[in-house]
Amino acid sequence: MIRFIDVQKEYDNGTKALKGVSVRIDDGEFVFLVGPSGSGKSTLIKLITAEIAPTEGRVMVNGFNLNNITPRQVPQMRRTLGVIFQDFRLIEKKSVYDNLAFAMRAIGASNRELRRRIPYVLQLVGLDQKGDRFPGQLSGGEQQRVAIARALVNNPSMIIADEPTGNLDPQRSLEIMMLLERINELGTTVLVVTHEKNLVNRFNKRVVTIENGRLISDETGGYYNVEKV
Amino acid sequence: MSRKFNTGYYVSEGVHSIFTHGFMSFAAVCMIVACLIIMGSFTLLAANLDNTLGDLESENEMLVYIDDALTQDQARMLQPTLAQVDNVSQLTFVTKENALADYKAKHNDNIAVLEDLPNEALRDRYRVHVYDIERMADTQAALEQVPGVAWVRAAIEIADGFVMVRNIATGVAMVLIGILLIISLFIIANTIKLATFYRREEIAIMKMCGATDGFIEWPFVVEGILLGLTGALIAFFAQWGLYQMVAKFAIQGNGLSLVNMISYSSMATTILAVFCGVGVFIGVVGSLFAIRKFLQV
Ligand SMILES: Nc1ncnc2c1ncn2[C@@H]1O[C@H](COP(=O)(O)OP(=O)(O)O)[C@@H](O)[C@H]1O
Ligand SMILES: [Mg+2]
C-alpha cells in the first residue's frame, strides 16, 4: 500500500519536481502513472524507494512511514518492493541465473532457497531455458524479463517499474505489459510509469496522470489523455 | 530467510575483489610492506639501543668516596643508609687497602705512579650500581647528601650520550610510524575506494534489493584486512632478512661490542603479532574510511 499526502519535493538546485501530490494505491491494484517527460514521475518513484526524501508532506509505503524511517529499516522496506528500470540494470558478467542469485544473496537467502525459487521465477517470465545465458546474449525484451524476474525473486508485495518499455519496440513493450498484468493477477501490486499513450490505452486500468509536479487526473478504467486538460 | 553471518561469502567476495584490480592491490601491499619495514627497523634500532643501555646500567658504576674523618667501621655503618637512596640497585664496600692493592696491581707496582697517587685512592669507598641510568645525575646528588660521603664520581657523560641517542631514535621512530601509518591508511582507503568504484553497479542493485549496509560493506573490510595481513606477513620475513644482514655487519665492524644486538628469533612472535595487528588495523580503518566516504550506503 502506498499513500502520499500533499507531498512536495524540491531538489537542492531549487527545481520543484513535485508540488503537492496526494495519491493512494491499495494492495493488489494495477496502476499506470503517466505524464510528459519532466513531470515528476521518476521523482515520485524515488520517494517510494527512499532514494530521496520528501521536502514536505507524508509518504507511507507498505506500512513504513518514510518520514521517520530509520536507516536500519530502509533495507527492510525495500525488500517489500521489486524495482524495474528502463535500462534493465543487469550485471553483464553474470549469467541470468546468477543475476537472480545475486539479488537473493543480497538479502541473505540460502543456496537451497535459491535453487527452489529461481527456476520458478524464470519459468514465470518465460526464460526457463535461458538461465545460463549472459545478458549480452539476450534481446532487449528478454533482458527486461530477466529484470522483472529479479524484481520478483525476493517475493515483494509490490512491483514498481519506471518506464520499463522505453527501450523496446511496440510488440516487445506489449508483451512486457502483459507479463506485468499477469504478475498483478497472481497477487502482486504493480505500479508502472510510462509516457506511451497507445500502450496504456490497450489496457483497462487505473491511470494516474501527473503534469508539472501536480496530479491532474486519476481515473479507474481511464486512459492516457493529456490533451483533454 | 537465514540471517547468519555469511563469512564464506564475505571472504570469497573480498578475495575476488583483490584480483579484479590486481595492480592497485599489489601497490597497496607493497606500500604496507615498506611502511612496516621502516617502522620495524626504527623500532628495532630503538629496542637495541635500549638493550645496550640496560647493559650499560649493569656495567656502569659510581664510586662513593667516604669522608676521611670516619673510621672504617663507621664507613661500613653507612651501607643501609646508602642502600635506601632511590635508584640504587647494588652496593659494595671497598676498603682503602683493597683499593690500593687493586690500583697497584693495575699499574704493575710502578713507584712513580704511586707517588702521583691521587688522594681519593686512599679513601674507603662504595661501588654503586643503579637501576635507571637516565636518573644517574639525581642519584649522584642524592648520594652526596648522605652525611659521611665526601664525594661521588660518576661517568654521567657516557650515560647521557646513550640516553640521548636512544631518545632520538625513539622519537624518530614515533614520528615515522605516525607518518607511515597515515600514508598506509591513505593507500588502503584509495584501493578500497577503487574497489567500490568497480562494483558501483552491483552495490546499487544490492541496495535496491534491500541488502543491509553491513552486507554491502563487509566484503570491502575483508579486502582491506587481507591486504593488511598480506603486507604484514611479507614485511615480517623481509624484516627478518634485513635484520640478520645488519646484525652480521654490526658484529664484524664492532670490535668493542658496544652494541649488543638482540636476536630476531627471540622477538619474532612479538614482531609478527605487532605487524599483523598494525596490518589489520590499517585494513579495517582504511576500508571503513573509504566506505563511509565513498560508498554512501
Ligand atoms: N537530481 C535532480 N536534481 C535536480 N533536479 C532534478 C533531479 N532529478 C530530476 N530533476 C528535475 O525534476 C523534474 C522532474 O524530473 P523527473 O521526476 O525525472 O521527471 P520524469 O520522470 O517525469 O521525466 C525535472 O524538471 C528534472 O529536471
Ligand atoms: Mg523519468
Side-chain angles (χ1 to χ4, degrees):
Chain A
M1 196 266 272
I2 288 176
R3 194 146 166 65
F4 273 53
I5 303 172
D6 211 16
V7 174
Q8 298 181 30
K9 176 63 190 178
E10 179 176 338
Y11 284 106
D12 289 343
N13 65 2
T15 308
K16 287 190 171 71
L18 292 181
K19 301 168 182 169
V21 170
S22 297
V23 69
R24 175 187 169 129
I25 297 169
D26 285 320
D27 288 343
E29 279 197 89
F30 188 112
V31 179
F32 282 118
L33 175 64
V34 303
S37 186
S39 55
K41 305 184 295 297
S42 293
T43 300
L44 199 142
I45 297 298
K46 285 176 189 159
L47 285 167
I48 295 172
T49 60
E51 243 181 277
I52 57 176
T55 313
E56 292 285 340
R58 286 166 54 73
V59 179
M60 299 278 300
V61 175
N62 292 334
F64 292 89
N65 180 347
L66 300 197
N67 294 85
N68 51 27
I69 193 167
T70 66
R72 285 182 145 272
Q73 286 176 315
V74 170
Q76 301 304 325
M77 186 279 289
R78 287 186 181 148
R79 290 176 192 194
T80 70
L81 303 173
V83 192
I84 300 160
F85 302 94
Q86 180 172 354
D87 55 0
F88 319 139
R89 301 200 190 169
L90 301 174
I91 302 168
E92 294 295 323
K93 61 178 196 291
K94 286 191 198 289
S95 69
V96 168
Y97 187 94
D98 286 343
N99 265 276
L100 303 196
F102 182 78
M104 287 188 78
R105 289 209 180 92
I107 64 164
S110 69
N111 285 337
R112 224 186 60 214
E113 288 165 319
L114 263 62
R115 284 195 295 271
R116 216 178 36 215
R117 180 76 179 163
I118 295 172
Y120 166 75
V121 179
L122 281 179
Q123 177 254 316
L124 186 67
V125 300
L127 288 174
D128 38 341
Q129 301 303 315
K130 303 197 170 170
D132 51 1
R133 299 283 185 89
F134 286 83
Q137 300 170 322
L138 300 174
S139 72
E142 287 172 326
Q143 288 188 53
Q144 194 58 298
R145 283 169 186 274
V146 177
I148 292 171
R150 184 181 60 195
L152 282 172
V153 81
N154 289 327
N155 206 11
S157 59
M158 183 182 289
I159 293 282
I160 293 169
D162 192 353
E163 313 231 16
T165 60
N167 283 346
L168 305 177
D169 64 58
Q171 182 55 32
R172 302 304 138 220
S173 298
L174 185 62
E175 285 169 14
I176 291 293
M177 286 304 177
M178 284 163 64
L179 176 59
L180 290 172
E181 187 181 35
R182 166 112 198 285
I183 287 162
N184 175 243
E185 281 161 4
L186 291 172
T188 309
T189 313
V190 174
L191 173 62
V192 182
V193 170
T194 183
H195 57 239
E196 288 170 71
K197 180 179 169 180
N198 294 335
L199 201 53
V200 172
N201 292 345
R202 290 186 69 148
F203 294 83
N204 184 30
K205 300 289 183 193
R206 177 180 170 195
V207 179
V208 174
T209 311
I210 66 170
E211 201 178 285
N212 195 19
R214 288 198 170 82
L215 199 144
I216 56 163
S217 85
D218 182 352
E219 295 173 49
T220 305
Y223 57 98
Y224 188 176
N225 189 0
V226 176
E227 290 93 322
K228 78 178 180 187
V229 186
Chain B
M1 299 273 168
S2 70
R3 291 182 141 265
K4 70 184 163 63
F5 188 84
N6 201 339
T7 315
Y9 167 83
Y10 298 135
V11 171
S12 77
E13 289 294 297
V15 170
H16 183 82
S17 183
I18 285 176
F19 289 104
T20 54
H21 43 94
F23 180 74
M24 192 65 190
S25 303
F26 176 73
V29 169
C30 287
M31 266 312 293
I32 292 168
V33 170
C35 290
L36 283 174
I37 287 180
I38 296 173
M39 278 179 205
S41 299
F42 272 86
T43 311
L44 287 173
L45 176 64
N48 272 297
L49 287 171
D50 208 49
N51 186 46
T52 307
L53 213 56
D55 293 347
L56 220 61
E57 268 155 13
S58 57
E59 284 164 17
N60 209 38
E61 61 180 26
M62 288 193 276
L63 291 178
V64 177
Y65 295 102
I66 305 303
D67 204 317
D68 273 341
L70 271 65
T71 68
Q72 213 158 75
D73 283 341
Q74 283 173 319
R76 280 184 199 281
M77 303 283 274
L78 283 176
Q79 174 121 12
T81 320
L82 291 172
Q84 266 171 20
V85 170
D86 187 30
N87 199 27
V88 170
S89 69
Q90 214 189 321
L91 204 58
T92 321
F93 185 67
V94 182
T95 60
K96 57 184 156 196
E97 292 79 16
N98 283 345
L100 186 60
D102 278 357
Y103 197 88
K104 279 181 177 168
K106 243 186 217 163
H107 294 93
N108 297 327
D109 298 287
N110 187 327
I111 305 299
V113 172
L114 261 178
E115 238 123 69
D116 288 344
L117 197 62
N119 222 17
E120 73 258 25
L122 298 170
R123 287 176 199 262
D124 296 323
R125 82 277 313 267
Y126 282 91
R127 276 212 298 269
V128 173
H129 291 259
V130 294
Y131 291 112
D132 182 359
I133 201 164
E134 284 182 70
R135 289 189 287 137
M136 211 154 138
D138 292 341
T139 310
Q140 183 186 21
L143 287 169
E144 279 176 340
Q145 293 301 307
V146 176
V149 171
W151 65 289
V152 177
R153 199 177 75 184
I156 303 250
E157 296 77 17
I158 299 178
D160 280 355
F162 253 95
V163 169
M164 198 176 75
V165 172
R166 198 269 317 262
N167 288 349
I168 289 174
T170 309
V172 171
M174 291 299 189
V175 171
L176 266 179
I177 286 169
I179 293 171
L180 292 168
L181 264 181
I182 292 168
I183 294 176
S184 302
L185 281 173
F186 182 78
I187 299 270
I188 284 267
N190 262 289
T191 310
I192 301 300
K193 173 190 168 182
L194 194 73
T196 65
F197 180 77
Y198 273 120
R199 316 197 90 185
R200 63 195 182 285
E201 284 168 2
E202 292 178 26
I203 291 166
I205 292 166
M206 285 194 274
K207 280 191 216 175
M208 189 185 77
C209 291
T212 60
D213 291 359
F215 183 87
I216 296 171
E217 292 170 2
W218 264 106
F220 296 109
V221 177
V222 169
E223 183 179 347
I225 291 174
L226 288 177
L227 291 174
L229 276 181
T230 309
L233 284 179
I234 296 173
F236 171 74
F237 288 107
Q239 183 82 67
W240 198 331
L242 193 71
Y243 192 81
Q244 300 298 58
M245 256 169 58
V246 173
K248 214 163 121 193
F249 184 76
I251 288 163
Q252 280 172 353
N254 182 11
L256 298 166
S257 93
L258 191 62
V259 179
N260 180 15
M261 285 188 70
I262 314 166
S263 79
Y264 195 83
S265 46
S266 72
M267 301 178 291
T269 323
T270 315
I271 294 171
L272 187 62
V274 170
F275 275 18
C276 288
V278 173
V280 169
F281 172 82
I282 293 172
V284 170
V285 175
S287 56
L288 284 181
F289 178 77
I291 288 165
R292 295 280 172 250
K293 193 142 194 265
F294 305 109
L295 206 53
Q296 255 133 40
V297 278

